[in-house]
Amino acid sequence: MLKGHQTWVFPNKPTILSTGTVVGPFEGKGPLAEDYDLIHGDLWLGQDSYEKAEKKMMEEAFEIAIRKAGLQKQDIQFFLGGDLLNQIISSSFAARTLAVPYLGLFGACSTSMQSLALGALLVDSKSANYVLCGTASHNTAVEKQFRYPTEYGAQKPPTAQWTATAAGVALLGPEGDGPKVTSATIGRIVDMGISDPFNMGSAMAPAAVDTLTAHFRDLGISPQEYDLIATGDLARVGHQIARDLLIKHDLEIPEEIFTDCGILIYGEDQPVMAGGSGCGCSAAVAYGHILNRMKKGELKKVLIAATGALLSPLSYQQKESIPCIAYAVAIEA
Amino acid sequence: MLKGHQTWVFPNKPTILSTGTVVGPFEGKGPLAEDYDLIHGDLWLGQDSYEKAEKKMMEEAFEIAIRKAGLQKQDIQFFLGGDLLNQIISSSFAARTLAVPYLGLFGACSTSMQSLALGALLVDSKSANYVLCGTASHNTAVEKQFRYPTEYGAQKPPTAQWTATAAGVALLGPEGDGPKVTSATIGRIVDMGISDPFNMGSAMAPAAVDTLTAHFRDLGISPQEYDLIATGDLARVGHQIARDLLIKHDLEIPEEIFTDCGILIYGEDQPVMAGGSGCGCSAAVAYGHILNRMKKGELKKVLIAATGALLSPLSYQQKESIPCIAYAVAIEA
């Protein structure tokens, strides 16, 4: 049900029955290690390409989520997902393994909440019973495609972000135990003219602010409604900009409830420049760490605003700026 | 409302209020020229790159559809779309111009019906009033990305298809004059092991058959229910394979009602090998030619099964086969 301009309210409150999170070795050394279902010691996952490793992470996350929900693969009716690789091959090839009806999405790093929002709409409108929503990213596969193969050893500025090697999926159902998806705000493209792919946090921050202000306006609520509001992958530089911009929009989010998945995923001792990014970052942090905190009773209502930078290497080479978007999903224990 | 395994039935029957179709000079010389809203004489559309030309076609198709419906840009609530270019830049940059909430999709050439199916779900479930669904492709931009720049003059086998330079969008609303979207079948990935990107019709045919058989099974109807069933972009080679496979599945579609958008779009005298393809092909043929025939009263019920080959140049180089998908949408006058 549409409320305001761009927010869906889900009266039937679809349930997140289970989640699956799989990460690489570097993420496994981070502060959220205990929250992941599977930590790989090998960046290749035994595959002969990084792209295949990314696909394998997604397949493993599917399997874990399905098993944890006590379901079988054939119970799943739809898979909604995407990733950063060209033509979203990880998702499409993982969907081939899953062999269920598939809706491929592209929202770059915002795909986590884009897929959860659409998945919740499917379940809420009785267009599906069991839906898998998810995404993945692999550091070296993404670096190779968008910037340089890591073997080059290219230097990066402090505004750059580290693409997480991670997959996160949520299994939605119409009822059951688990947190409920109550609303979702669908973002618009916001582009403030930033064209530097090593400064995506700054490019994405205005999109996060646009979607967050729309969410509170459409629902007529204040940020204090939530115990935690997490942007996805703005990292340190972008998150501070978002904070400042929100104040300019007369929408101050108290510091103690406002965080960012790209800040949470790595420790202070990990050399990740401004912080984490990548499709799998907000997916693994939300479906691992944040939902675990909800299960422990530490959080009751959270809002996750995943952000995406919808550039391509070609649009950058053609001197285009970076169009950005954010999708915000509210989850209640 | 889900019926059977993978078909959505839309009890509120969302209306296609208007459409916009824009094509390039080669398509304008084809047999459906009278059905398009705008034919460009210049393949560049006055832009300095083919990618920007593709984006411009999509923007023009938006404008035409909005104007024909007697609406304003600010009436549109969501845009759902995608394209073949890496990171679907044409759609994301066109969405920036449109400045409305955006859901980026990737279904390769099936994106036309993937976006119409999801758009209809949004309107049917009262999650939106006015939704634009659409896609575009540009021959030279796509050839450059997936195969060779056309300037190389690389030869192609007779099974290859010609990527259409075309954009097609549909504007959906909850009620009004115009054909109604009554149901949609969401495809699964089907991959029979074909890995030749110059033979995509053969790769995609089994996916079309899988979705068509699911559609008739889920709804408990026969092909004779429709006045026209059009696959999207199988072209001559793939369409014949689909025909043969359907017979093996005991589902013979009478020849006089079974056609393909990739066959319809070009004339016998145009050197397009097996026929047309590309996101814009099924979109322009469906939203131009087929809906015009419905308006003239020649057709009452049609089913359009758009097909997509979800490969990337990288997956091909890594010796992967081509995962394919099809989405079928039923439209009633």
Side-chain angles (χ1 to χ4, degrees):
Chain A
M1 196 183 67
L2 185 67
K3 195 158 181 195
H5 287 289
Q6 59 197 92
T7 300
W8 296 331
V9 174
F10 304 120
N12 299 318
K13 299 188 178 178
T15 305
I16 300 178
L17 297 172
S18 64
T19 58
T21 51
V22 179
V23 301
F26 188 60
E27 292 66 30
K29 294 194 182 85
L32 310 184
E34 284 184 12
D35 288 310
Y36 307 124
D37 293 305
L38 180 58
I39 298 172
H40 280 280
D42 167 23
L43 199 57
W44 293 87
L45 277 79
Q47 303 295 302
D48 61 4
S49 79
Y50 290 132
E51 291 77 15
K52 290 180 187 168
E54 182 175 306
K55 180 198 74 163
K56 185 147 192 263
M57 278 198 303
M58 203 184 268
E59 290 172 348
E60 289 172 339
F62 287 161
E63 277 172 31
I64 291 166
I66 294 170
R67 193 179 62 232
K68 279 161 73 177
L71 294 172
Q72 304 291 320
K73 213 176 78 169
Q74 53 268 34
D75 297 321
I76 308 304
Q77 285 164 320
F78 296 92
F79 163 49
L80 280 71
D83 55 83
L84 286 167
L85 297 182
N86 289 339
Q87 281 70 48
I88 58 167
I89 46 171
S90 304
S91 304
S92 298
F93 282 89
R96 180 177 71 182
T97 309
L98 200 61
V100 304
Y102 166 54
L103 289 157
L105 307 175
F106 181 74
C109 308
S110 71
T111 307
S112 58
M113 291 303 119
Q114 183 193 12
S115 59
L116 188 64
L118 267 174
L121 179 70
L122 259 62
V123 173
D124 190 67
S125 65
K126 304 190 195 309
S127 308
N129 284 315
Y130 298 114
V131 177
L132 274 171
C133 310
T135 182
S137 54
H138 191 292
N139 180 275
T140 35
V142 166
E143 285 298 317
K144 182 175 97 181
Q145 178 182 282
F146 281 96
R147 298 175 194 96
Y148 301 101
T150 49
E151 291 86 347
Y152 284 10
Q155 287 198 322
K156 291 190 171 186
T159 52
Q161 292 172 237
W162 184 277
T163 303
T165 301
V169 307
L171 204 172
L172 286 172
E175 54 201 3
D177 284 340
K180 314 285 179 192
V181 181
T182 54
S183 67
T185 301
I186 306 302
R188 299 182 298 174
I189 298 281
V190 177
D191 183 341
M192 303 303 282
I194 289 176
S195 58
D196 178 4
F198 291 111
N199 193 359
M200 305 241 267
S202 304
M204 295 190 291
V209 169
D210 191 70
T211 296
L212 286 171
T213 51
H215 181 81
F216 296 116
R217 181 202 64 214
D218 284 352
L219 295 182
I221 57 173
S222 73
Q224 282 75 9
E225 190 85 8
Y226 296 101
D227 303 321
L228 186 82
I229 297 172
T231 49
D233 315 359
L234 293 180
R236 283 180 194 85
V237 175
H239 192 66
Q240 187 56 50
I241 294 171
R243 209 180 271 277
D244 295 344
L245 280 174
L246 282 165
I247 292 171
K248 280 199 182 167
H249 282 75
D250 285 326
L251 191 85
E252 190 165 354
I253 301 181
E255 196 161 343
E256 61 276 16
I257 65 163
F258 197 29
T259 188
D260 180 79
C261 298
I263 296 174
L264 293 171
I265 191 167
Y266 297 114
E268 291 284 341
D269 56 325
Q270 292 183 296
V272 295
M273 293 81 68
S277 70
C279 284
C281 176
S282 59
V285 173
Y287 298 148
H289 178 64
I290 295 175
L291 288 195
N292 279 352
R293 287 193 63 195
M294 294 184 88
K295 272 183 214 153
K296 287 180 206 155
E298 293 171 22
L299 302 169
K300 282 221 159 129
K301 280 181 84 171
V302 304
L303 182 67
I304 298 161
T307 51
L310 309 183
L311 82 166
S312 84
L314 192 80
S315 70
Y316 167 68
Q317 287 153 10
Q318 293 187 1
K319 315 277 183 220
E320 273 283 6
S321 52
I322 304 175
C324 296
I325 200 159
Y327 300 97
V329 177
I331 304 173
E332 268 180 49
Chain B
M1 194 183 68
L2 185 67
K3 195 157 182 198
H5 287 290
Q6 59 196 93
T7 299
W8 296 331
V9 174
F10 305 120
N12 300 317
K13 298 187 181 180
T15 305
I16 300 177
L17 297 171
S18 65
T19 58
T21 50
V22 179
V23 301
F26 188 61
E27 290 67 29
K29 293 194 182 85
L32 309 183
E34 284 183 13
D35 288 311
Y36 307 125
D37 294 306
L38 181 57
I39 298 172
H40 280 281
D42 167 23
L43 197 58
W44 293 87
L45 278 80
Q47 304 295 303
D48 61 4
S49 79
Y50 290 131
E51 291 78 15
K52 290 180 189 168
E54 182 174 308
K55 179 197 76 163
K56 186 146 191 261
M57 279 197 301
M58 203 184 267
E59 290 172 347
E60 289 172 338
F62 287 160
E63 278 171 32
I64 292 165
I66 294 170
R67 195 179 60 232
K68 279 161 74 177
L71 294 171
Q72 304 290 321
K73 212 175 80 169
Q74 53 268 31
D75 297 320
I76 306 305
Q77 285 164 320
F78 295 93
F79 163 48
L80 280 72
D83 54 84
L84 286 167
L85 296 182
N86 288 339
Q87 281 71 46
I88 59 166
I89 46 171
S90 305
S91 303
S92 298
F93 282 88
R96 181 177 72 182
T97 309
L98 198 63
V100 304
Y102 165 56
L103 290 158
L105 308 175
F106 180 74
C109 307
S110 70
T111 308
S112 58
M113 291 303 119
Q114 182 193 13
S115 59
L116 188 65
L118 268 175
L121 178 70
L122 259 62
V123 173
D124 190 67
S125 65
K126 302 190 197 309
S127 308
N129 285 315
Y130 298 113
V131 178
L132 274 171
C133 310
T135 182
S137 54
H138 191 291
N139 179 276
T140 35
V142 167
E143 286 298 318
K144 183 174 97 181
Q145 178 183 285
F146 281 97
R147 297 176 194 95
Y148 301 102
T150 49
E151 292 85 347
Y152 284 9
Q155 287 198 322
K156 291 190 171 185
T159 52
Q161 292 172 237
W162 183 276
T163 303
T165 301
V169 307
L171 204 172
L172 285 173
E175 53 199 6
D177 284 340
K180 314 286 180 192
V181 181
T182 53
S183 68
T185 301
I186 306 303
R188 300 181 298 173
I189 298 280
V190 177
D191 184 339
M192 301 304 281
I194 289 177
S195 59
D196 177 5
F198 291 112
N199 193 1
M200 305 240 268
S202 303
M204 295 190 290
V209 169
D210 191 70
T211 297
L212 286 172
T213 51
H215 181 81
F216 296 116
R217 180 201 66 214
D218 284 352
L219 296 182
I221 57 174
S222 73
Q224 282 76 7
E225 190 84 10
Y226 296 102
D227 303 322
L228 186 82
I229 297 173
T231 49
D233 314 0
L234 293 181
R236 283 181 195 85
V237 174
H239 191 66
Q240 187 57 49
I241 294 172
R243 209 180 272 276
D244 295 345
L245 281 174
L246 282 164
I247 292 171
K248 280 200 182 165
H249 282 74
D250 285 327
L251 193 85
E252 190 166 353
I253 302 181
E255 197 162 342
E256 60 277 15
I257 64 162
F258 196 29
T259 187
D260 180 79
C261 298
I263 296 174
L264 291 171
I265 192 168
Y266 297 115
E268 291 284 343
D269 56 324
Q270 293 183 296
V272 294
M273 292 83 69
S277 70
C279 285
C281 176
S282 58
V285 172
Y287 299 149
H289 178 63
I290 294 174
L291 287 196
N292 280 351
R293 287 192 64 193
M294 294 186 89
K295 273 182 213 154
K296 287 181 207 156
E298 293 171 20
L299 302 168
K300 283 218 158 133
K301 281 182 83 172
V302 304
L303 182 67
I304 299 162
T307 50
L310 309 183
L311 82 166
S312 83
L314 193 81
S315 71
Y316 167 68
Q317 287 154 9
Q318 293 188 0
K319 315 275 185 224
E320 272 283 7
S321 53
I322 304 175
C324 296
I325 200 159
Y327 300 96
V329 177
I331 305 172
E332 270 181 48

